[in-house]
Amino acid sequence: MKKYSLSTQIFISLISGMILGLLCHYCIPAGYLRDDILAEGAFYLVGNAFMRGMQMLVVPLVFCSLVCGTMSIGDTTTLGKVGIKTLGFYLVTTAIAIAIALGLASIVNPGIGLDMSTVKIAETTIAENKGVVETLLDIVPKNPIQSLAEGSMLQIIFFAVLLGFILASQGDGVRHIANNFNQWNSIMMSMTMTVMKVAPIGVFCLVAKTFTEIGLSGFLPMIKYMLCVVGALAIHCLVIYMSMLKVFTGRNPIIFLKKMLPVMGFAFSTASSNATLPLNIETLNKKMGVSKKIASFTIPLGATINMDGTAIMQGVAVVFAAQAFNIPLTPMDYITVIFTATMASIGTAAVPGVGLITLSMVFVSVGLPIEAIGIIMGIDRILDMTRTAVNITGDAVCTVIVAHQENAIKDEIFNKA
Ligand code: ASP
């Protein structure tokens, strides 16, 4: 594999992991060898060791790079402008994503004709709904050390930005501490590259485990629902994002997609925006020429609050459940779903499977039965992988647009093959 670039290696691993997983699922009978030795043994061990390695980097990397980023932006007006643009982009694209999902699902009708006897229904849990005031209050950390220890991303962002400003405003008096953060920042970036060296093996095992466990058979009764989610994801990613990129920056979407592919492949295999965060920042900085001061701010924020792929799944799931349980939805319900799913996307943690938990908030808001979540749970992992790839692409598109408007992107790096 050595002669291929890391991106190609990740792709080869992804495809071969899928094939091996399917072979294991269909050729080895369920039991000790397939389930305990392979899926829950070797694949789980290696795949999760790699994923934990990436997760290990998230908090220190986000913290150091945000402090450095804010220090180099320096003034509150610029950061305020970047912040407002980023938030605006994230909210608007999420609302568009849900509208696409609702529209497509109303045409495809994923829940009509579903034979309930053919689907597995899992038990579901209801997400606790924190409310807007509590959610906003929760951004301010009571104890920043605890926020770092618990990986509470919005609180970390809050504290790091504040610290960056203070360091910038004190100038030479705190030069040593400022340098210290810069050095830590480059150490964390090198550590990311070191962990990424084993990405092909990690990705291979993560994907092989998933496919060994689930195979393809559970998909058939749910195929309409799955295709509808994947179709809406593709429209949002390839049409909406790419047109925005072209219109707002004039840049070539093909170049962007080519450079993003390994990051998308990585998000697909880990199903975690959080674990993908270091690679996303690194790719935007090194391969697309986006200044670190922008990427280090927009990407952690995006990974935490911008989940268009998750919102799409939730939109389709609403129509699916309404049809499967024969509950008519009014136009007002559709508007409620756009609002609650945008909120749910903000509240969804950037780790595997959480989108399905926050979906209960959306269902409750329009009176759909929570049991419907149990129907889609069995096949959600593959969709989780796919939507996570879209989640992180949305963050990257926003970053390129904001960087372009702030004159913080180098054309020669972006256009370089
Ligand atoms: N796995 C998704 C992410 O990390 C969240 C979800 O939809 O469950 O972005």
Side-chain angles (χ1 to χ4, degrees), residues 271-273 307 310 348-355 384 387-388 391:
S272 166
S273 302
M307 301 208 179
T310 303
T348 303
V351 289
V354 182
D384 191 7
R387 67 180 179 253
T388 307
N391 287 346

Side-chain angles (χ1 to χ4, degrees), residues 1 6-21 199-208 211 261-270 385 389:
M1 291 268 267
L6 186 63
S7 332
T8 318
Q9 289 182 30
I10 292 183
F11 265 91
I12 297 176
S13 309
L14 201 74
I15 305 294
S16 39
M18 269 185 210
I19 297 174
L20 180 74
I201 304 172
V203 164
F204 176 82
C205 290
L206 284 170
V207 178
F211 281 90
L261 268 180
V263 192
M264 292 164 93
F266 187 89
F268 180 83
S269 39
T270 56
M385 295 158 90

Side-chain angles (χ1 to χ4, degrees), residues 61-72:
L61 179 77
V62 167
F63 186 60
C64 296
S65 64
L66 251 181
V67 171
C68 297
T70 319
M71 256 190 320
S72 56

